[in-house]
C-alpha cells in the first residue's frame, strides 16, 4: 500500500466549543482548515482535541510525527484573559516553543478570544525559539467570522519558506494580504464590557526574524499599514 507524504502540515489543537446547549462536539474548525490544505497543496492537516494543559501537551506530541519542512500550530479554543481553554496561555505557547526547533514549527495562530491583548506574553514565548510568528485576537470574536479569517491567514502564511524570515517584508506582506479581503472597520466581536470591536482593533501580530540577536516584536501596525487601499 502506498502512502502520501506532504512536506508541510497544519497542526490543529482544538478544545470542544459547546457553542450552544446541543453542541456535543459538533462545531469544529477542522473542515475549514482541511479546505485550506487542499487549496494550497502539499499540506496535511493533523488534528487532536485537548481539554486542559496536560492533554494539550500530549496532543501536540501526538501531532508532531514524521519529518516535515515546516509546521504551523493552530490553537482553536475559547479564551479569556490569559487563559486558553482554562489553561495558562503562557504554558501552552511555551510548550509549542519548546518543540519548535525539533519539529520545524514556524508559527502559532491562536483562535481564542482576548489572549491577543497580551502580546508581550506572545513575544516572551516565541523569543529564542524557532517560532517566527504568533497571531491572536484581542476581543471576543464571532466564531464563524474569525474562523474564516483564520483560514485566510493559514493559507497565506503556510506558503512562506524559512528563508522568507530573514527580513520582515514577506511575513508582513503575507499577513497584510490575508487581511486585505476583510473590512477593517467591520465589527467582529466585543470587549469585556460588550462594546463592539472592529477588526482593526481585534488582532495582534508578533514576528521574530531569523538570526542571532533578533527579538520578537509586535508588528500589528505594520501589518495594517501594509494593506493596499
Amino acid at each position: 500500500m502506498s502512502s502520501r507524504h506532504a512536506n508541510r502540515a497544519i497542526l490543529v489543537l482544538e478544545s470542544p466549543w459547546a457553542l450552544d446547549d446541543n453542541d456535543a462536539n459538533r462545531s469544529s474548525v477542522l473542515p475549514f482548515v482541511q479546505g485550506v490544505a487542499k487549496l494550497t497543496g502539499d499540506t496535511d492537516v493533523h488534528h487532536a482535541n485537548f481539554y486542559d494543559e496536560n492533554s494539550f501537551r500530549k496532543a501536540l506530541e501526538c501531532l508532531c510525527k514524521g519529518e516535515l519542512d515546516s509546521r504551523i500550530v493552530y490553537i482553536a479554543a475559547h479564551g479569556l484573559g490569559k487563559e486558553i481553554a482554562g489553561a495558562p496561555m503562557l504554558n501552552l505557547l511555551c510548550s509549542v516553543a519548546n518543540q519548535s526547533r525539533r519539529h520545524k514549527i514556524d508559527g502559532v495562530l491562536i483562535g481564542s478570544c482576548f489572549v491577543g491583548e497580551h502580546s508581550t506574553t506572545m513575544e516572551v514565548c516565541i523569543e529564542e525559539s524557532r517560532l517566527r510568528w504568533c497571531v491572536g485576537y484581542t476581543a471576543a470574536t464571532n466564531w464563524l467570522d474569525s474562523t474564516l479569517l483564520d483560514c485566510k491567514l493559514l493559507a497565506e502564511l503556510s506558503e512562506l519558506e524559512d528563508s522568507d524570515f530573514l527580513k520582515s517584508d514577506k511575513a508582513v506582506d503575507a499577513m497584510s494580504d490575508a487581511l486585505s479581503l476583510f473590512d477593517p472597520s467591520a465589527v467582529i466581536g466585543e470587549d469585556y464590557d460588550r462594546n463592539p470591536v472592529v477588526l482593526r482593533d481585534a488582532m495582534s501580530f508578533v514576528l521574530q526574524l531569523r538570526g542571532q540577536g533578533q527579538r520578537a516584536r509586535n508588528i500589528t501596525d505594520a501589518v495594517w499599514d501594509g494593506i493596499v487601499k
Side-chain angles (χ1 to χ4, degrees), residues 72-76 84 89 93 106-119 122-123 126 131-138 146 149-150 153-154 157 171 174-176 178-179 199 202-207 217-220 223-224:
I72 290 175
V73 168
Y74 178 26
I75 303 174
I84 299 173
M89 65 174 290
L93 287 178
D106 289 338
V108 184
L109 174 55
I110 310 174
S112 304
C113 298
F114 292 117
V115 295
E117 65 182 353
H118 307 290
S119 60
M122 294 160 61
E123 294 173 33
I126 75 172
L131 293 174
R132 305 301 177 204
W133 56 267
C134 187
V135 179
Y137 290 93
T138 64
S146 59
L149 180 52
D150 291 345
L153 282 165
L154 290 169
L157 290 167
M175 295 172 182
S176 297
L179 293 174
L199 178 58
M203 303 189 76
S204 290
F205 297 83
V206 171
L207 177 68
R217 60 190 182 92
N218 190 315
I219 58 165
T220 304
V223 170
W224 284 108

Side-chain angles (χ1 to χ4, degrees), residues 7 14 26 52 66-67 84 106 118 141 161-162 203 208:
N7 290 313
E14 185 172 35
R26 176 196 68 223
D52 52 24
E67 296 296 325
I84 299 173
D106 289 338
H118 307 290
T141 57
E161 305 287 346
D162 196 39
M203 303 189 76
Q208 176 178 234

Side-chain angles (χ1 to χ4, degrees), residues 79-92:
L80 183 64
K82 290 187 176 182
E83 293 189 343
I84 299 173
M89 65 174 290
L90 177 65
N91 296 357
L92 301 193

Side-chain angles (χ1 to χ4, degrees), residues 104-182:
K104 297 182 179 179
I105 303 174
D106 289 338
V108 184
L109 174 55
I110 310 174
S112 304
C113 298
F114 292 117
V115 295
E117 65 182 353
H118 307 290
S119 60
T120 301
T121 300
M122 294 160 61
E123 294 173 33
V124 168
C125 288
I126 75 172
E127 202 153 86
E128 298 183 4
S129 73
R130 189 190 180 279
L131 293 174
R132 305 301 177 204
W133 56 267
C134 187
V135 179
Y137 290 93
T138 64
T141 57
N142 303 323
W143 190 86
L144 180 59
D145 298 357
S146 59
T147 298
L148 294 174
L149 180 52
D150 291 345
C151 286
K152 184 57 175 171
L153 282 165
L154 290 169
E156 295 291 343
L157 290 167
S158 64
E159 295 291 332
L160 296 177
E161 305 287 346
D162 196 39
S163 59
D164 292 331
F165 295 102
L166 291 170
K167 295 183 179 180
S168 63
D169 303 35
K170 291 188 177 181
V172 171
D173 287 347
M175 295 172 182
S176 297
D177 288 346
L179 293 174
S180 65
L181 295 180
F182 300 85

